[in-house]
Amino acid sequence: QQQQQQQAPQQQQQHGNGRLKTSVVNDPEYVRKFREQADGTLDVSRGEEMMVRVPKPAGRPARVIWQFNTQDNDIAFGVDFERGTGPDGQLVVEAVLPVTRCTADTQVIQGSHVADADGSWLLKFDNSYSWLTGKKLYYRVQCQAN
């Protein structure tokens, strides 16, 4: 599937290492275009947490790339990597990026993570702290061979 992607302006704040990278784009025009071209939207109700599961292709390293923005207000976001079950039958989940509140209504939050093991990424959008306000979330997710 070929997607038309816009280039992010140079005014980014970037953090991370070779396996995990995060950045934000504060340009209002970029935010507007991102909302128009987002792959999907989610309505995250007040007090709710939603997850987007992204299966990793088996047998080779791969990178998940995410971008998101909210229509109004902040949202908490985090990433886990689910490796399946361990020898004891328990689900093995690695915390890749701890859930942290993001000011996502005025900027596009973006990042990526590389995994070698087979499994799935779990992108968590957490609005459980909000008692009154639901959030409309615009997002784009890709998985690429690394």
Side-chain angles (χ1 to χ4, degrees):
Q1 177 184 6
Q2 193 175 34
Q3 295 180 350
Q4 188 174 19
Q5 298 260 338
Q6 61 196 42
Q7 288 295 320
Q10 293 302 315
Q11 59 222 57
Q12 298 184 45
Q13 302 168 2
Q14 254 187 1
H15 307 282
N17 57 37
R19 315 273 316 149
L20 173 68
K21 294 183 180 179
T22 61
S23 64
V24 296
V25 180
N26 294 309
D27 181 271
E29 182 64 14
Y30 184 81
V31 171
R32 185 187 67 74
K33 286 181 181 177
F34 176 79
R35 287 180 182 173
E36 291 173 359
Q37 299 172 1
D39 290 342
T41 60
L42 291 173
D43 290 314
V44 186
S45 298
R46 62 182 189 198
E48 182 179 45
E49 179 181 316
M50 296 186 84
M51 282 194 226
V52 174
R53 178 181 296 274
V54 183
K56 183 193 148 300
R60 64 180 193 256
R63 175 183 304 271
V64 66
I65 302 167
W66 63 83
Q67 294 179 293
F68 67 92
N69 170 265
T70 55
Q71 185 168 324
D72 294 304
N73 303 312
D74 63 354
I75 195 158
F77 174 74
V79 180
D80 288 343
F81 188 74
E82 183 180 84
R83 296 177 184 256
T85 54
D88 59 357
Q90 295 292 318
L91 192 59
V92 177
V93 178
E94 169 192 348
V96 172
L97 182 65
V99 174
T100 306
R101 282 173 76 164
C102 303
T103 306
D105 58 333
T106 59
Q107 56 195 5
V108 174
I109 310 293
Q110 52 193 22
S112 67
H113 179 256
V114 175
D116 298 321
D118 292 344
S120 296
W121 288 280
L122 305 173
L123 307 181
K124 300 187 292 187
F125 298 98
D126 185 353
N127 196 33
S128 61
Y129 59 87
S130 181
W131 291 29
L132 301 174
T133 310
K135 311 290 168 50
K136 181 168 187 160
L137 177 82
Y138 301 87
Y139 71 95
R140 182 179 296 144
V141 179
Q142 296 178 350
C143 185
Q144 300 174 342
N146 202 26

